[in-house]
Every structure is written in structure tokens, then in C-alpha cells.
Amino acid sequence: MSKLEDENIEISHEPIDLGEISREVGTIISGRTAEAGIAFEIGKQELPVSYVYGSPLHIRQIFLNIYGNCIKYNKPHGKVTTTLKCLGEKNGIVTYRWTISDTGIGMSEEFLKHIFEPFVQEHSDARTVYSGTGLGMSIVKKIIDRMNGTIVVTSKEGEGSTFVITLPFEIAEKPEEIPAEMDGEVNIAGLHLLLAEDNEINMEIAEFYLTDRGATLDKAWNGKEALEQFERSPEGTYDIILMDVMMPVMNGLEASRQIRSLSRPDGNMIPILAMTAQDAISVSSQCRQYGMDDYVLKPADPEQLTKMILKYVKTI
């Protein structure tokens, strides 16, 4: 949030496929709604122009936050619905409007006036009951503002809420098809990974990409869990460890140091990649000092992450 306030977060401008991103988010949300016993209905989807310029990570962050709230604050056997409408094209810009509704507990008219303020939650016990910090909608609003879009929220207590997100995109050319033999260069099928990450959204995105490419993934929510999972696993279980640097309980640096000090051969041999949003120059030597092989800057590009994994397990 502080980085967004200071405009230190870079909203990337790269060619993306909105259709593919929508399917990825839909797959994640379908799983989460099914686990929660909530229906997920996808209504009319108008997407005449799929290839645009944008920031894939921040687009996912917007929608995973909003859908996450729709699920978290829903009622038993409730419903989440979504539609997508194209508002038109002009001067190389296409504008889309997403409408996401839920049948949850809703919000009061007074609370809606403050919904985008940091740390605001309607009920004093909300953080205990729903495990939230009150930052999600503030971050969503900041990102949407940076993308020159708008978000409007309407709600009625006891009946549910509706989120209307409008985003303009510069139209991109459709990329050339990648030959199958080239596509195979970033294949990680069959690899067994241990991922340590304390952020639920980051974990879900990484899990989707890595498992979609054929990898098997075990999850740890802090460095201590990662260390304990590695210690419990038979030698040779994991091909590589992806370790977030900043985590509660035990950070990734200390977890890596302790893994390297274990009295088992694979403790010294297994590649450990740091995942960090810190400055690249300062983090490089620090990660290696604690036994990490390399690092990937967050937000991690899926293709770059995959290629970095293959750099260290390319013989498998």
C-alpha cells in the first residue's frame, strides 16, 4: 500500500491476452467458490478485442481481491455472478466494464463512503471473523486509478454488493503463434516444487501457473513451515525450492540458511530461488550469503520464473 501511495509500484505495459487472464482467474475462483459452497455464474462476456497492453499481475490482483471479498462475505449457499461488456473502441483504445455481484451480507450506506480507505472494516470483529486487514479494497482502488480506470460499489445490508470496474486498454497486435517445439523449452512437467509464500493471492497465482505447466507443488506459508516440510520429506523429494524473502514466523533468508545447514546431502544440493520485491542490487548478495542460488523479482513473470527454474533443474 505504501509503495502504491508513493507511486513506487510499476504498472507494466506489455502485450497480454485478456481472454486468457479471465480464464485463469475464473479457474481459481471456481475452485474457491466450490470449496465455500457458493455458486459461481459467468454471464455474458463481450470481448471483441482480446490482445491489449496492460499489467497481468495487477489485473489479476484487482479481480482476485474483489472476487475474494464476494466469497468471504457471502452467505451459505450464496452466489457470485460476473458479466463483461465492451464499451467501445476509439483511437486505439478499447474500454471494458466488468460487473461482479454477490448475495452476501452487504454493506451499510455509511460504510460505503469509506470503503476505499485503508484499514476500514464495517464491523469491529471483522478481522477476527473474516481474517482480513481492511487493505484489499484500498489497494484495488489505487491500482485501478493508476490504470486510468474506475470502480463503483453499491450495496444493501443483508442482500449483497455489486462492483462495477471500468478499464481502458491500448489495443495490441495479436502475437505470432509459438511453434510447439519452442513452447516445450519452458516445460516444467514432472518437477516437484516447494513454494514458501505468505500472501494468499500470490500463492494462488503461482500455484495456477506452475501446476498448469505440469509441476507438482507443495505449499508452505512461512519459512518455518518450509523448513519443517523439507526436513520431513524423503531425500530427493523436491527438485527446487521457491522461497519468499519476507514472511512471518521465519523469513526466507533464515529458512534457507537452516536448510543448507541440515545434515543431509540434498540440503546443500537443492536449488533455492528467492522471490522478492526488494532492490535487485541489495538482495542479490544477501540471498547468496544465506545459501540461495538466485532470485526472481516480484511480481514474477510466469515465463521468466519458469525459465529460471529450468536454469537450475534443466537436467531433470
Side-chain angles (χ1 to χ4, degrees):
M1 187 65 191
S2 63
K3 288 184 177 181
L4 282 166
E5 292 278 4
D6 297 335
E7 297 190 355
N8 287 331
I9 294 292
E10 181 181 350
I11 305 296
S12 65
H13 185 74
E14 59 186 274
I16 59 174
D17 182 351
L18 273 181
E20 182 181 351
I21 292 175
S22 295
R23 288 188 291 273
E24 292 165 359
V25 171
T27 300
I28 292 171
I29 297 306
S30 294
R32 293 177 64 179
T33 50
E35 289 176 2
I38 296 170
F40 180 44
E41 296 184 359
I42 300 176
K44 188 175 182 180
Q45 303 286 297
E46 294 182 6
L47 194 67
V49 179
S50 187
Y51 294 96
V52 298
Y53 289 98
S55 174
L57 179 115
H58 292 100
I59 293 170
R60 294 184 192 99
Q61 190 169 13
I62 289 169
F63 290 103
L64 289 174
N65 262 301
I66 292 174
Y67 281 122
N69 280 347
C70 290
I71 296 169
K72 184 187 296 184
Y73 299 108
N74 219 310
K75 298 173 183 175
H77 311 296
K79 181 170 63 175
V80 176
T81 60
T82 180
T83 61
L84 172 59
K85 181 177 178 61
C86 178
L87 301 184
E89 302 174 34
K90 186 177 181 180
N91 299 326
I93 302 293
V94 60
T95 303
Y96 288 110
R97 183 175 68 202
W98 287 262
T99 302
I100 302 170
S101 301
D102 66 58
T103 58
I105 61 175
M107 294 170 275
S108 67
E109 187 175 335
E110 179 61 29
F111 177 73
L112 280 176
K113 299 175 184 177
H114 307 283
I115 188 172
F116 299 122
E117 296 175 10
F119 304 111
V120 172
Q121 291 182 319
E122 180 152 27
H123 305 290
S124 60
D125 62 346
R127 290 193 182 98
T128 301
V129 176
Y130 297 106
S131 302
T133 62
L135 275 174
M137 292 307 298
S138 302
I139 292 172
V140 164
K141 180 65 163 61
K142 286 288 183 183
I143 294 173
I144 289 175
D145 287 347
R146 291 282 301 278
M147 295 172 68
N148 299 315
T150 62
I151 177 170
V152 176
V153 185
T154 56
S155 186
K156 190 169 182 180
E157 284 189 281
E159 295 186 13
S161 305
T162 297
F163 303 82
V164 179
I165 305 97
T166 303
L167 292 172
F169 296 95
E170 181 183 345
I171 298 173
E173 291 186 9
K174 184 176 180 179
E176 296 182 7
E177 294 292 331
I178 301 175
E181 61 271 18
M182 290 180 63
D183 187 52
E185 292 177 2
V186 293
N187 178 30
I188 56 173
L191 298 185
H192 193 174
L193 286 64
L194 175 60
L195 172 62
E197 168 65 68
D198 67 313
N199 182 283
E200 184 178 354
I201 292 176
N202 291 344
M203 180 72 86
E204 288 198 25
I205 292 173
E207 180 181 18
F208 177 86
Y209 271 111
L210 295 170
T211 56
D212 188 57
R213 284 162 170 74
T216 301
L217 188 70
D218 289 345
K219 298 182 285 187
W221 296 96
N222 57 63
K224 186 172 183 291
E225 284 189 17
L227 173 63
E228 291 173 348
Q229 285 195 47
F230 185 79
E231 285 183 299
R232 289 195 304 267
S233 67
E235 186 177 328
T237 296
Y238 298 111
D239 297 302
I240 193 169
I241 298 174
L242 307 180
M243 187 80 76
D244 186 20
V245 172
M246 300 297 291
M247 292 184 289
V249 186
M250 180 186 290
N251 64 41
L253 297 173
E254 178 60 21
S256 298
R257 187 191 68 79
Q258 293 200 31
I259 288 173
R260 293 302 189 211
S261 66
L262 294 174
S263 58
R264 48 187 283 178
D266 58 345
N268 282 320
M269 296 171 57
I270 188 165
I272 302 178
L273 291 184
M275 301 183 69
T276 177
Q278 298 177 46
D279 176 70
I281 297 175
S282 64
V283 80
S284 177
S285 59
Q286 188 180 34
C287 288
R288 287 181 170 83
Q289 179 184 344
Y290 280 84
M292 294 173 156
D293 295 278
D294 217 325
Y295 66 93
V296 178
L297 287 179
K298 297 166 63 175
D301 175 79
E303 297 301 328
Q304 291 178 350
L305 176 59
T306 304
K307 289 176 181 177
M308 181 66 81
I309 291 171
L310 288 175
K311 176 182 176 181
Y312 288 94
V313 290
K314 57 187 176 183
T315 59
I316 296 177

